[in-house]
Amino acid sequence: MTYLLRGTLEDQGGTAATQRLADGRVAAGKTGTTENHGESWFAGFTPQLATAVWVGTPLGDGPNMEMDNITIGGQYYPSVFGGTIAAPLWKQIMDDASEEMPKKAFQAPSGKVADGDYVDLPSVIGKTPAEADSILKGAGFDPRNAGVTSSTAPAGTVASTSPSGKAIKGGLAEYYVSNGVAPVTAPRRPPRRRPRLPEHDDPGPGLPALADLHVDELRAAAHEGPENPKTNGKPKNTGDKPKKNEG
């Protein structure tokens, strides 16, 4: 509880986050406001001291009690909450009263306090609901039939419990009764495989792939053009020859 109440003063957004005690002294507390802001208070404590401040009036009734759009001590307040006036007054009182006291830390709570008093939950798997109720009640738990579930256990017997193994002492212990039908498991979808792409482009039968040709061969093919069988594989000279003078 102390751990939670420290958040009122220490957590960002806490209802009294601006009212932490001086010199880093640890404290915890709680703000409070009634409906229509008729009354407000702050109660807080350190490891050595506790103080509560109440803000309100015992006079009048109805609208006169509401602390909205009100001026107190020359200060205007649109609405009065527990952190508006009570918490700052609490801080002033606690800072003065604690000034000569040594600073102490709150004692850390035990696991039983922080997490709950967990004890072994007796197994009732395979028992009838009546037997399960009797066993769980005898162990100090609050048994409850949570309904029917698909299970390979014999129909009408307990198939599972929630929680299982351990539970908070005196807490709720739910159990599920088998219908005798095994649960159906959907088949797993096979993983999708990406198509394997060829390492090089396939140029077709009888032709070399581009990646298999040497760079020099590619350059030569680009400049020389197609081979001519009449010139022993050399490109035909297409240049103009001087014409015979027929005149």
PDB file of all heavy atoms in Angstrom, residues 28-41:
ATOM      1  N   ALA A  28       4.393   9.334   1.613  1.00  0.00           N
ATOM      2  CA  ALA A  28       3.295   8.754   0.841  1.00  0.00           C
ATOM      3  C   ALA A  28       2.004   9.401   1.317  1.00  0.00           C
ATOM      4  O   ALA A  28       1.927   9.908   2.444  1.00  0.00           O
ATOM      5  CB  ALA A  28       3.234   7.246   1.027  1.00  0.00           C
ATOM      6  N   GLY A  29       0.997   9.389   0.463  1.00  0.00           N
ATOM      7  CA  GLY A  29      -0.247  10.025   0.877  1.00  0.00           C
ATOM      8  C   GLY A  29      -1.343   9.845  -0.151  1.00  0.00           C
ATOM      9  O   GLY A  29      -1.166   9.211  -1.189  1.00  0.00           O
ATOM     10  N   LYS A  30      -2.492  10.462   0.152  1.00  0.00           N
ATOM     11  CA  LYS A  30      -3.673  10.342  -0.714  1.00  0.00           C
ATOM     12  C   LYS A  30      -4.495  11.613  -0.638  1.00  0.00           C
ATOM     13  O   LYS A  30      -4.769  12.127   0.441  1.00  0.00           O
ATOM     14  CB  LYS A  30      -4.534   9.157  -0.258  1.00  0.00           C
ATOM     15  CG  LYS A  30      -5.756   8.910  -1.120  1.00  0.00           C
ATOM     16  CD  LYS A  30      -5.368   8.394  -2.490  1.00  0.00           C
ATOM     17  CE  LYS A  30      -6.603   8.057  -3.341  1.00  0.00           C
ATOM     18  NZ  LYS A  30      -7.336   9.295  -3.724  1.00  0.00           N
ATOM     19  N   THR A  31      -4.861  12.105  -1.842  1.00  0.00           N
ATOM     20  CA  THR A  31      -5.772  13.246  -1.901  1.00  0.00           C
ATOM     21  C   THR A  31      -7.206  12.742  -1.881  1.00  0.00           C
ATOM     22  O   THR A  31      -7.481  11.578  -2.167  1.00  0.00           O
ATOM     23  CB  THR A  31      -5.543  14.059  -3.190  1.00  0.00           C
ATOM     24  OG1 THR A  31      -5.729  13.195  -4.309  1.00  0.00           O
ATOM     25  CG2 THR A  31      -4.148  14.657  -3.226  1.00  0.00           C
ATOM     26  N   GLY A  32      -8.123  13.641  -1.572  1.00  0.00           N
ATOM     27  CA  GLY A  32      -9.537  13.283  -1.565  1.00  0.00           C
ATOM     28  C   GLY A  32     -10.393  14.506  -1.824  1.00  0.00           C
ATOM     29  O   GLY A  32     -10.076  15.603  -1.356  1.00  0.00           O
ATOM     30  N   THR A  33     -11.463  14.318  -2.596  1.00  0.00           N
ATOM     31  CA  THR A  33     -12.383  15.414  -2.909  1.00  0.00           C
ATOM     32  C   THR A  33     -13.790  14.848  -2.994  1.00  0.00           C
ATOM     33  O   THR A  33     -14.013  13.836  -3.676  1.00  0.00           O
ATOM     34  CB  THR A  33     -12.027  16.084  -4.258  1.00  0.00           C
ATOM     35  OG1 THR A  33     -10.652  16.459  -4.264  1.00  0.00           O
ATOM     36  CG2 THR A  33     -12.892  17.320  -4.489  1.00  0.00           C
ATOM     37  N   THR A  34     -14.738  15.476  -2.315  1.00  0.00           N
ATOM     38  CA  THR A  34     -16.117  15.018  -2.388  1.00  0.00           C
ATOM     39  C   THR A  34     -16.783  15.571  -3.646  1.00  0.00           C
ATOM     40  O   THR A  34     -16.230  16.427  -4.346  1.00  0.00           O
ATOM     41  CB  THR A  34     -16.918  15.485  -1.165  1.00  0.00           C
ATOM     42  OG1 THR A  34     -16.915  16.921  -1.120  1.00  0.00           O
ATOM     43  CG2 THR A  34     -16.311  14.946   0.121  1.00  0.00           C
ATOM     44  N   GLU A  35     -17.966  15.070  -3.936  1.00  0.00           N
ATOM     45  CA  GLU A  35     -18.698  15.561  -5.098  1.00  0.00           C
ATOM     46  C   GLU A  35     -19.003  17.043  -4.941  1.00  0.00           C
ATOM     47  O   GLU A  35     -19.239  17.543  -3.846  1.00  0.00           O
ATOM     48  CB  GLU A  35     -20.008  14.784  -5.265  1.00  0.00           C
ATOM     49  CG  GLU A  35     -19.803  13.317  -5.623  1.00  0.00           C
ATOM     50  CD  GLU A  35     -21.114  12.611  -5.871  1.00  0.00           C
ATOM     51  OE1 GLU A  35     -22.161  13.292  -5.927  1.00  0.00           O
ATOM     52  OE2 GLU A  35     -21.093  11.373  -6.016  1.00  0.00           O
ATOM     53  N   ASN A  36     -18.968  17.732  -6.072  1.00  0.00           N
ATOM     54  CA  ASN A  36     -19.239  19.172  -6.108  1.00  0.00           C
ATOM     55  C   ASN A  36     -18.212  19.973  -5.322  1.00  0.00           C
ATOM     56  O   ASN A  36     -18.457  21.132  -4.991  1.00  0.00           O
ATOM     57  CB  ASN A  36     -20.643  19.488  -5.600  1.00  0.00           C
ATOM     58  CG  ASN A  36     -21.717  18.784  -6.407  1.00  0.00           C
ATOM     59  OD1 ASN A  36     -21.622  18.694  -7.634  1.00  0.00           O
ATOM     60  ND2 ASN A  36     -22.730  18.272  -5.728  1.00  0.00           N
ATOM     61  N   HIS A  37     -17.061  19.354  -5.014  1.00  0.00           N
ATOM     62  CA  HIS A  37     -15.973  20.046  -4.313  1.00  0.00           C
ATOM     63  C   HIS A  37     -16.423  20.650  -2.990  1.00  0.00           C
ATOM     64  O   HIS A  37     -15.967  21.724  -2.596  1.00  0.00           O
ATOM     65  CB  HIS A  37     -15.369  21.154  -5.208  1.00  0.00           C
ATOM     66  CG  HIS A  37     -14.989  20.663  -6.573  1.00  0.00           C
ATOM     67  ND1 HIS A  37     -15.692  20.995  -7.697  1.00  0.00           N
ATOM     68  CD2 HIS A  37     -13.998  19.840  -6.979  1.00  0.00           C
ATOM     69  CE1 HIS A  37     -15.139  20.406  -8.749  1.00  0.00           C
ATOM     70  NE2 HIS A  37     -14.118  19.692  -8.340  1.00  0.00           N
ATOM     71  N   GLY A  38     -17.299  19.943  -2.318  1.00  0.00           N
ATOM     72  CA  GLY A  38     -17.772  20.454  -1.028  1.00  0.00           C
ATOM     73  C   GLY A  38     -16.713  20.340   0.058  1.00  0.00           C
ATOM     74  O   GLY A  38     -16.632  21.188   0.954  1.00  0.00           O
ATOM     75  N   GLU A  39     -15.883  19.300   0.004  1.00  0.00           N
ATOM     76  CA  GLU A  39     -14.807  19.103   0.979  1.00  0.00           C
ATOM     77  C   GLU A  39     -13.614  18.489   0.253  1.00  0.00           C
ATOM     78  O   GLU A  39     -13.764  17.823  -0.787  1.00  0.00           O
ATOM     79  CB  GLU A  39     -15.252  18.160   2.093  1.00  0.00           C
ATOM     80  CG  GLU A  39     -16.466  18.629   2.866  1.00  0.00           C
ATOM     81  CD  GLU A  39     -16.932  17.575   3.856  1.00  0.00           C
ATOM     82  OE1 GLU A  39     -16.315  17.463   4.923  1.00  0.00           O
ATOM     83  OE2 GLU A  39     -17.883  16.844   3.512  1.00  0.00           O
ATOM     84  N   SER A  40     -12.427  18.710   0.821  1.00  0.00           N
ATOM     85  CA  SER A  40     -11.221  18.101   0.265  1.00  0.00           C
ATOM     86  C   SER A  40     -10.230  17.872   1.390  1.00  0.00           C
ATOM     87  O   SER A  40     -10.307  18.505   2.446  1.00  0.00           O
ATOM     88  CB  SER A  40     -10.601  18.999  -0.815  1.00  0.00           C
ATOM     89  OG  SER A  40     -10.143  20.218  -0.239  1.00  0.00           O
ATOM     90  N   TRP A  41      -9.294  16.953   1.149  1.00  0.00           N
ATOM     91  CA  TRP A  41      -8.308  16.656   2.180  1.00  0.00           C
ATOM     92  C   TRP A  41      -7.078  16.014   1.562  1.00  0.00           C
ATOM     93  O   TRP A  41      -7.078  15.577   0.403  1.00  0.00           O
ATOM     94  CB  TRP A  41      -8.899  15.744   3.262  1.00  0.00           C
ATOM     95  CG  TRP A  41      -9.263  14.366   2.774  1.00  0.00           C
ATOM     96  CD1 TRP A  41      -8.489  13.262   2.745  1.00  0.00           C
ATOM     97  CD2 TRP A  41     -10.518  13.983   2.235  1.00  0.00           C
ATOM     98  NE1 TRP A  41      -9.164  12.200   2.230  1.00  0.00           N
ATOM     99  CE2 TRP A  41     -10.427  12.620   1.901  1.00  0.00           C
ATOM    100  CE3 TRP A  41     -11.726  14.645   1.997  1.00  0.00           C
ATOM    101  CZ2 TRP A  41     -11.476  11.918   1.340  1.00  0.00           C
ATOM    102  CZ3 TRP A  41     -12.766  13.948   1.432  1.00  0.00           C
ATOM    103  CH2 TRP A  41     -12.648  12.600   1.113  1.00  0.00           C
TER     104      TRP A  41
END
